[in-house]
Amino acid sequence: MHGSGGIVLIAAVAVCASVTPAGAATPDEVAAVLERWDRDDHPDLRGVVVLRGGRRIAERYYNGAVPDELHDIRSAGKSVTALVTGIAVDRGAIHSLGDPVSRYWPASAGSAIGPVPLRDVLTMRSGLAAFDEDPASPGNEDRMDAAPDPAAFVRGVPRADSPGTRYRYNSVTAYVAGLAVAGATGSTMAEFAGQHLFAPLGIARWHWDADAAGMTKGQGNLRLTVRDLAVLGETVRNRGRYRGRQVVSARWIADMTAPHVTIAADDAYADTYGYFWYGKTHRVDGAAIDVSFASGNGGNKIYVVPACRLVIAVTSSAYGKGYGQRRSEAILKALLEAETTAGRCRTSSRR
């Protein structure tokens, strides 16, 4: 079964076909790309939404999924944590990324995470002995999730490296970012996000899990529709602006997606890492196309492609399955090929 994807897709095409820019792949061509995954061997792809220049030109749902489904995007939620952190910076609640964690989470004073600058938290260079790909790591995500008091668990994670010197992907530091936002704003990160990010973007249905102490899980566990994932991506593509409103500062968006760390040796799907956002340059028909993206377990993605004025949101429940990531990247590449073949993409940084 493939749900009602065809019906929704036809409606989107009918609305947008008359505004397709000259030279761009038409909505019908984009639809044909998405239809390829109707025949996917794995029944866990949920939905794909494609925006061009802020207009929804195609969407498709699979395996019984529907447009209003709230989907757990897993670690792609870390990238939303980065957006919320940026708003806290924009509003002056967080004064500087050079500030130590303990300034906003006083209980961390005296622990290994306490003196770490927030900048090193956001770039996965905290120096903690925390590595999610190693089950034996003291700060492994599964250990934190099993702890009765995650905040106390984090305070007990030892230091392995000097802060700012080594990239190690982990969920502990994204959780810490959420605690810092809470301490800076006087509310949970979910409450702050609801007021200053989701509401301005018109995102009314969402759920962000909290731990046993009521603290938002900044490491993920955020549920959104695939359409609203695309709205977040469009806000990033448009330098923090959405429908005429500056929701996040352009400066923050630029810093957040900048290549702060080279991670190609650690990650087969990315070249660089910013503030909980990834970057990769794809070669398509001889053109180099830069993509910024959020990424979650199972293949949950927000792809932002400035050169093509595209945002591609993907939801997938292939949790713990390597093919989920490969499939989402294949969808991205197929759409990029369609756009470059039509002569729509530019290799400049203009959006």
Side-chain angles (χ1 to χ4, degrees):
M1 292 180 61
H2 303 297
S4 58
I7 296 172
V8 174
L9 180 61
I10 290 168
V13 170
V15 170
C16 300
S18 63
V19 295
T20 301
T26 67
D28 283 343
E29 291 168 340
V30 175
V33 171
L34 299 186
E35 286 172 9
R36 298 178 196 172
W37 279 270
D38 286 353
R39 299 176 295 279
D40 190 72
D41 292 336
H42 304 287
D44 44 24
L45 181 61
R46 305 303 292 168
V48 181
V49 167
V50 183
L51 308 182
R52 185 195 292 123
R55 295 179 181 272
R56 190 189 313 144
I57 59 167
E59 64 183 321
R60 194 163 190 86
Y61 296 90
Y62 309 83
N63 303 301
V66 292
D68 63 354
E69 176 183 78
L70 288 179
H71 186 83
D72 185 353
I73 61 172
R74 298 294 175 95
S75 285
K78 290 179 172 68
S79 300
V80 183
T81 293
L83 287 168
V84 178
T85 303
I87 295 172
V89 172
D90 292 341
R91 298 175 68 86
I94 291 176
H95 301 284
S96 168
L97 294 188
D99 288 342
V101 168
S102 59
R103 176 166 182 173
Y104 305 101
W105 182 26
S108 67
S111 69
I113 191 63
V116 176
L118 289 175
R119 182 175 291 104
D120 293 334
V121 168
L122 293 169
T123 55
M124 296 288 184
R125 297 182 295 176
S126 68
L128 292 186
F131 186 31
D132 285 353
E133 295 182 18
D134 179 6
S137 173
N140 178 272
E141 178 182 19
D142 292 339
R143 292 172 180 252
M144 180 174 68
D145 287 343
D149 184 344
F153 172 87
V154 173
R155 293 195 300 269
V157 177
R159 175 172 292 177
D161 305 288
S162 298
T165 62
R166 189 182 192 194
Y167 171 88
R168 275 290 177 265
Y169 182 86
N170 67 90
S171 290
V172 164
T173 46
Y175 175 71
V176 168
L179 295 181
V181 170
T185 63
S187 62
T188 67
M189 187 171 66
E191 292 169 342
F192 186 76
Q195 182 177 359
H196 298 291
L197 179 63
F198 297 141
L201 297 180
I203 297 175
R205 295 184 62 250
W206 55 277
H207 179 77
W208 208 332
D209 287 353
D211 65 14
M215 302 308 295
T216 306
K217 290 186 170 184
Q219 68 269 34
N221 302 113
L222 172 62
R223 291 170 174 80
L224 292 163
T225 69
V226 66
R227 287 177 176 175
D228 286 338
L229 273 186
V231 167
L232 289 167
E234 177 61 18
T235 304
V236 172
R237 189 194 72 84
N238 205 32
R239 299 185 179 92
R241 196 170 185 84
Y242 186 73
R243 292 185 175 175
R245 179 173 181 175
Q246 195 74 43
V247 179
V248 191
S249 71
R251 175 179 295 180
W252 179 262
I253 297 297
D255 288 347
M256 182 184 76
T257 57
H260 293 286
V261 191
T262 299
I263 65 169
D266 300 282
D267 194 317
Y269 298 97
D271 299 328
T272 61
Y273 200 67
Y275 299 155
F276 297 156
W277 279 77
Y278 296 88
K280 185 174 180 65
T281 300
H282 289 272
R283 295 280 175 179
V284 183
D285 290 340
I289 300 178
D290 294 332
V291 179
S292 295
F293 65 101
S295 179
N297 190 325
N300 293 284
K301 304 285 184 177
I302 309 172
Y303 291 114
V304 179
V305 193
C308 306
R309 300 172 65 241
L310 283 184
V311 169
I312 302 159
V314 183
T315 53
S316 164
S317 56
Y319 303 127
K321 308 292 178 59
Y323 65 76
Q325 302 288 0
R326 293 192 295 272
R327 179 174 62 200
S328 293
E329 187 175 69
I331 292 170
L332 166 69
K333 288 181 175 180
L335 290 167
L336 291 182
E337 182 177 0
E339 292 291 289
T340 54
T341 298
R344 181 68 185 126
C345 295
R346 302 184 299 268
T347 56
S348 71
S349 60
R350 292 180 59 195
R351 301 191 181 198

